[in-house]
């Protein structure tokens, strides 16, 4: 029983990190119709900035700087590549983000090399014990931070002027533009928000029980793709649901690996993708994605 | 240069998703394309007599990649369906060939299974099997559009990698498996059998023999793709990309054509994978990762979406770049040899910078790719006799069709 409880708690913590990343995908998709493949490199950039600065500035300040830097770079990508091509087809823009990702990832992995960088987070390797259920401090912090950030995000989405413009733009770009919504600004803010969330997610991906930030940390962001897709790419609530599902699936398959050994080692890494495929066969637009209707 | 008058065309007119038949080309231009192909094939035919093994090897990889890229271009360029799962199908083709042609037996501590079929039959079966697997994916490949499919196919790469590592009796596990050589009767594509084969005083070893084999496969693959694109299937696929509703009205079933394009593209990938296996002589799981899928996407974007020639040019560019950079690492500024103590950019990294930048620059400034530039149509406008279908779709409306409606 304690094992199950530990696994579920870990799964929820993992799910909340994925949620931070998946929300970034969804925000960008809603605002500009692009699936942002450069997200993995933005995440790596956030983690790398914290790793380089935490010695001099202390962790909190370093994290703040990283959030600002990553948001700024994401905004820059939007301004330079996405906005200028506003009339081009969205598939082309999606491939363009792959090009940006290659550039940024190559630069960062070259700098990181084969090192494993510590982010100097305050939780270190602390573990808490509740009636025999062990859970790492970093995981608890992760859930708390994710809940606060995601709550803020949903509130902003629901109650602020930006949220309203964002929802209007996602509903119908042309009508929104005619009603005076500045699509450019909405899109820019969306990219910045996604970048900021990615930087925070990087910290928790590199925190205990992970060893630290290495060149493959960005790859983990890819696991948030199934989360965003299986929830429905245009639904923020779907991203949340998908992330928790993916987090729990990974944790459960990794936790009960010994009983599933006939399926091979490291099952936790592929389980999210299997779940995604199964969901897509059942519902091609994801669990909470808006259904497409076309009449011929 | 251009076939069409280059008078300013309004954006509105540009975005109408109707392709006009290209006006007939003026006399000499009409033979420029086929003429260029004949010259290139002629050069490729005599190349083994003049160049070193390094260039043969590099060229062979480029040819194998060209086959895969032509297939991906049918799917992503013509049909507008993004696929990041190409590495999976390459792997399936490679391991399919190895398993079908390989013998069962014990290698080291491991028992390997194999069907022990004649190599040529094994190659054909491997390609067909890859097509079947592509067909099994059709509940997803037929229903998901564009970038959604791209993310869904990510799953194939990761699941495939997992299977390759764990199904050790078929794949040889992490360390891979050696590849049985290709051959028909007494002629094998290895250094031996017939021994000491010479043509015009040049020893004809493994690389030379493989070279002509690969050249034939590339030509067959390119011709097939060109004919597919020029006939009804090609037009139907373009229609599905441009407007699904309009295509359906014209009697083209979008889901069926999308899955058909996926099947054909996976068969091309299967053939490319088997050829890569023959060139490498050994297949290992780590080669077929996500980076390989992205390489293929880079090839078709850089070469020119929707064009067979573009796929071949892009494949040559992307596969040869790292090889050439590492060969000339000593003489190039800013690039250092791999593993050298000097700080600097390794050739692999330099290649990645260059082609990352190439993707971005091509999409920003020349959406028609390198081929569009060669034809004097950087924008990838219509024309090119059914080949230069330009970028991935060009309708504004598909933004809305893609997400909500």
């Amino acid at each position: 029983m304690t094992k199950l409880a530990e696994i579920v708690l870990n799964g929820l913590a993992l799910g909340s990190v994925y949620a931070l990343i998946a929300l970034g995908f969804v925000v960008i998709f809603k605002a500009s119709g692009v699936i942002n493949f450069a997200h993995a490199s933005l995440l790596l950039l956030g983690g790398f900035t914290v790793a380089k600065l935490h010695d001099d500035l202390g962790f909190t300040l370093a994290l703040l700087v990283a959030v600002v830097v990553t948001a700024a770079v994401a905004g820059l990508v939007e301004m330079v590549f996405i906005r200028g091509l506003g009339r081009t087809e969205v598939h082309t823009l999606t491939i363009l983000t792959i090009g940006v990702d290659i550039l940024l990832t190559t630069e960062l992995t070259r700098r990181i090399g084969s090192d494993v960088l510590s982010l100097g987070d305050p939780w270190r390797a602390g573990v808490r014990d509740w009636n025999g259920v062990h859970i790492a401090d970093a995981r608890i912090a992760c859930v708390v931070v994710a809940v606060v950030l995601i709550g803020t995000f949903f509130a902003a989405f629901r109650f602020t002027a930006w949220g309203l413009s964002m929802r209007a733009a996602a509903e119908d770009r042309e009508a929104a533009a005619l009603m005076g919504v500045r699509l450019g600004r909405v899109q820019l803010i969306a990219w910045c928000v996604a970048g900021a969330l990615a930087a925070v997610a990087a910290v928790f991906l590199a925190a205990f029980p992970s060893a630290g930030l290495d060149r493959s940390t960005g790859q983990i962001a890819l696991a948030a793709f199934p989360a965003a897709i299986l929830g429905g790419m245009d639904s923020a609530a779907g991203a949340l649901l998908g992330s928790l599902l993916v987090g729990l699936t990974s944790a459960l398959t990794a936790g009960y690996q010994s009983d599933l050994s006939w399926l091979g080692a490291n099952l936790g890494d592929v389980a999210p993708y299997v779940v995604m495929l199964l969901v897509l066969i059942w519902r091609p637009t994801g669990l909470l994605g808006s259904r497409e209707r076309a009449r011929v | 240069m251009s076939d069409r008058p280059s008078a300013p065309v309004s954006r509105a007119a540009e975005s109408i998703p109707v392709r006009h038949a290209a006006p007939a080309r003026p006399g000499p231009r009409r033979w420029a394309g086929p003429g260029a192909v004949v010259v290139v094939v002629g050069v490729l035919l005599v190349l083994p007599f003049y160049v070193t093994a390094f260039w043969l090897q590099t060229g062979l990889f480029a040819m194998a990649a060209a086959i895969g890229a032509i297939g991906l271009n049918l799917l992503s360029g013509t049909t507008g369906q993004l696929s990041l799962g190409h590495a999976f199908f390459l792997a399936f083709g490679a391991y399919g060939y190895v398993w079908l042609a390989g013998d069962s037996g014990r290698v080291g501590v491991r028992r390997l299974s194999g069907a022990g079929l004649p190599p040529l039959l094994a190659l054909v079966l491997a390609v067909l099997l890859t097509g079947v697997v592509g067909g099994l994916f059709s509940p997803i490949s037929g229903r998901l559009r564009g970038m959604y499919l791209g993310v869904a196919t990510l799953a194939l790469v990761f699941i495939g990698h997992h299977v390759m590592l764990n199904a050790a009796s078929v794949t040889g596990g992490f360390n891979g498996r050696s590849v049985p050589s290709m051959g028909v009767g007494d002629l094998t594509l290895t250094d031996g059998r017939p021994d000491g084969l010479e043509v015009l005083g040049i020893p004809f070893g493994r690389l030379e023999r493989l070279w002509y084999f690969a050249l034939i496969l590339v030509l067959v693959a390119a011709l097939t793709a060109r004919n597919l694109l020029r006939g009804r299937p090609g037009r139907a696929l373009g229609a599905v990309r441009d407007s699904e509703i309009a295509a359906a009205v014209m009697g083209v079933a979008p889901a069926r054509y999308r899955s058909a394009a996926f099947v054909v593209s996976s068969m091309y990938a299967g053939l490319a994978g088997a050829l890569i296996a023959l060139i490498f002589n050994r297949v290992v799981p780590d080669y077929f990762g996500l980076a390989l899928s992205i390489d293929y996407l880079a090839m078709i974007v850089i070469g020119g979406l929707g064009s067979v020639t573009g796929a071949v040019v892009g494949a040559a560019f992307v596969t040869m770049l790292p090889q050439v950079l590492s060969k000339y690492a000593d003489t190039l500024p800013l690039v250092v040899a791999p593993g050298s103590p000097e700080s600097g950019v390794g050739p692999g990294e330099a290649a990645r910078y260059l082609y990352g930048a190439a993707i971005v620059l091509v999409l920003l400034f020349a959406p028609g790719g390198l081929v569009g530039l060669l034809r004097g149509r950087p924008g990838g406008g219509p024309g090119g006799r059914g080949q230069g279908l330009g970028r991935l779709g060009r309708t504004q409306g598909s933004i809305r069709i893609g997400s909500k409606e």
Side-chain angles (χ1 to χ4, degrees):
Chain A
M1 202 55 217
T2 51
K3 183 179 178 188
L4 181 66
E6 270 174 21
I7 289 173
V8 168
L9 285 173
N10 275 323
L12 290 178
L14 200 58
S16 56
V17 183
Y18 287 150
L20 293 177
I21 308 169
L23 268 184
F25 285 133
V26 169
V27 175
I28 288 179
F29 184 77
K30 276 178 103 79
S32 46
V34 173
I35 294 184
N36 179 25
F37 279 93
H39 218 70
S41 58
L42 289 175
L43 185 128
L44 201 55
L45 175 69
F48 182 72
T49 317
V50 178
K52 283 291 153 194
L53 294 180
H54 77 87
D55 271 345
D56 302 334
L57 299 179
F59 175 73
T60 320
L61 209 52
L63 178 59
L64 273 178
V65 174
V67 165
V68 172
V69 166
T70 318
V73 171
L76 202 66
V77 170
E78 192 274 332
M79 285 205 288
V80 176
F81 300 115
I82 306 298
R83 187 176 305 178
L85 287 174
R87 282 155 173 271
T88 326
E89 230 274 340
V90 286
H91 300 165
T92 315
L93 295 179
T94 300
I95 299 181
L96 190 72
T97 61
I98 296 181
V100 174
D101 183 64
I102 293 175
L103 286 176
L104 205 53
T105 306
T106 312
E107 177 59 25
L108 287 169
T109 49
R110 189 173 71 86
R111 285 173 186 271
I112 294 172
S114 52
D115 299 346
V116 177
L117 304 174
S118 153
L119 297 193
D121 56 281
W123 310 290
R124 301 188 187 284
V127 173
R128 230 151 263 237
D129 182 351
W130 287 319
N131 304 326
V133 177
H134 297 273
I135 182 150
D137 283 350
R139 291 271 156 116
I140 298 171
C142 158
V143 173
V144 172
V145 170
V147 165
V148 170
L149 283 180
I150 293 168
T152 318
F153 173 82
F154 274 94
F157 204 62
R158 183 77 191 80
F159 299 114
T160 64
W162 172 75
L164 185 62
S165 340
M166 176 87 185
R167 280 179 287 146
E171 201 68 44
D172 188 333
R173 286 177 76 82
E174 274 170 34
L178 288 173
M179 300 311 279
V181 171
R182 291 182 172 187
L183 291 182
R185 194 192 284 178
V186 168
Q187 201 166 305
L188 179 65
I189 296 178
W191 277 76
C192 292
V193 167
L197 290 176
V200 177
V203 169
F204 291 112
L205 277 182
F208 185 78
S210 306
L213 186 87
D214 62 32
R215 55 194 306 164
S216 67
T217 301
Q219 293 273 320
I220 302 172
L222 288 174
F225 266 127
I229 288 281
L230 77 82
M233 201 64 198
D234 58 355
S235 155
L240 210 55
L241 180 66
S243 305
L244 292 181
L245 214 58
V246 163
L248 283 175
T249 320
S250 303
L252 283 171
T253 39
Y256 290 103
Q257 174 78 56
S258 50
D259 301 322
L260 297 167
S261 55
W262 54 277
L263 281 171
N266 293 327
L267 195 61
D269 297 341
V270 287
Y273 294 97
V274 178
V275 173
M276 173 177 76
L277 286 186
L278 293 177
V279 168
L280 285 178
I281 290 173
W282 173 42
R283 288 181 70 127
T285 50
L287 292 173
L288 299 182
S290 49
R291 293 239 179 132
E292 296 178 15
R293 274 187 297 275
R295 209 172 277 167
V296 176
Chain B
M1 286 297 282
S2 167
D3 296 331
R4 303 199 317 163
S6 53
V9 182
S10 76
R11 282 312 285 206
E14 275 272 347
S15 69
I16 294 173
V18 175
R19 293 188 192 290
H20 302 280
R25 294 186 179 211
R29 283 275 302 170
R30 200 171 154 202
W31 298 104
V37 170
V38 168
V39 170
V40 169
V41 171
V43 168
L44 290 178
L45 276 174
V46 297
L47 219 51
F49 295 100
Y50 295 100
V51 299
T52 57
F54 165 79
W55 287 105
L56 280 186
Q57 176 106 357
T58 309
L60 273 170
F61 280 121
M63 287 200 265
I67 297 175
I70 290 171
L72 186 62
N73 217 349
L74 285 176
L75 183 68
S76 298
T78 310
T79 322
Q81 293 282 81
L82 199 61
S83 168
L84 286 170
H86 222 53
F88 168 77
F89 293 105
L90 286 159
F92 198 90
Y95 279 105
Y97 169 74
V98 172
W99 185 80
L100 287 167
D103 293 318
S104 304
R106 199 171 262 286
V107 176
V109 292
R110 184 162 273 154
R111 277 199 64 77
L112 291 174
S113 65
L117 297 175
L120 204 57
L121 180 65
L123 180 71
V124 174
L125 281 181
V127 172
L128 290 178
L129 265 182
T130 317
V132 169
V133 173
L136 289 178
F137 202 61
S138 66
I140 290 174
S141 64
R143 287 153 87 193
L144 294 188
R145 303 196 181 90
M147 352 180 237
Y148 294 92
L149 184 67
V151 179
T153 46
L154 267 182
L156 287 178
V157 176
F158 290 102
I159 297 172
H161 193 251
H162 182 73
V163 171
M164 281 185 263
L165 286 178
N166 288 293
S169 72
V170 175
T171 62
F174 180 77
N175 291 319
R177 190 168 171 176
S178 64
V179 179
S181 59
M182 173 57 68
V184 186
D186 263 351
L187 178 68
T188 58
L189 304 182
T190 54
D191 283 331
R193 274 221 306 163
D195 251 331
L197 179 66
E198 284 192 12
V199 177
L200 297 176
I202 303 287
F204 247 54
R206 177 172 161 269
L207 287 178
E208 285 83 2
R209 297 178 201 186
L210 265 176
W211 178 273
Y212 289 102
F213 182 67
L215 193 58
I216 293 169
L217 291 183
V218 171
L219 287 177
V220 169
L223 274 177
T224 314
R226 201 192 66 143
N227 289 342
L228 264 180
L229 284 179
R230 284 190 181 177
R232 178 184 155 89
R235 310 243 176 233
L237 294 176
V240 169
R241 173 199 55 197
D242 284 342
S243 166
E244 188 174 313
I245 294 173
V249 171
M250 305 295 279
V252 171
R256 199 187 307 154
Y257 270 91
R258 272 199 293 256
S259 19
F262 198 79
V263 170
V264 173
S265 135
S266 38
M267 285 168 75
Y268 270 90
L271 181 60
L275 192 54
I276 287 172
L278 282 170
I279 302 167
F280 263 131
N281 243 342
R282 184 167 194 87
V283 278
V284 286
D286 279 0
Y287 175 72
F288 301 99
L290 183 60
L292 188 69
S293 284
I294 290 179
D295 282 357
Y296 276 84
L297 209 56
M299 289 174 201
I300 63 170
V301 170
I302 293 172
L305 288 168
S307 141
V308 174
T309 325
V312 176
V313 172
F317 180 81
V318 170
T319 39
M320 292 172 86
L321 195 63
Q323 308 265 3
V324 172
L325 282 180
S326 54
K327 182 163 171 74
Y328 296 108
D330 303 337
T331 49
L332 289 171
L334 294 174
V335 177
V336 296
S340 85
E342 295 169 67
S343 69
V345 183
E349 284 157 351
R352 287 188 73 75
Y353 281 126
L354 278 176
Y355 88 64
I359 295 178
V360 172
L361 292 176
V362 160
L363 287 174
L364 284 179
F365 300 113
L370 293 177
V371 164
L373 287 177
L374 288 177
R375 291 189 182 144
R377 268 195 303 272
R385 298 188 296 147
Q387 279 191 26
L389 291 178
R391 50 194 115 139
L392 276 178
R394 51 220 315 275
T395 55
Q396 269 284 289
S398 60
I399 292 177
R400 266 180 293 155
I401 293 170
S403 55
K404 287 194 165 201
E405 192 131 279

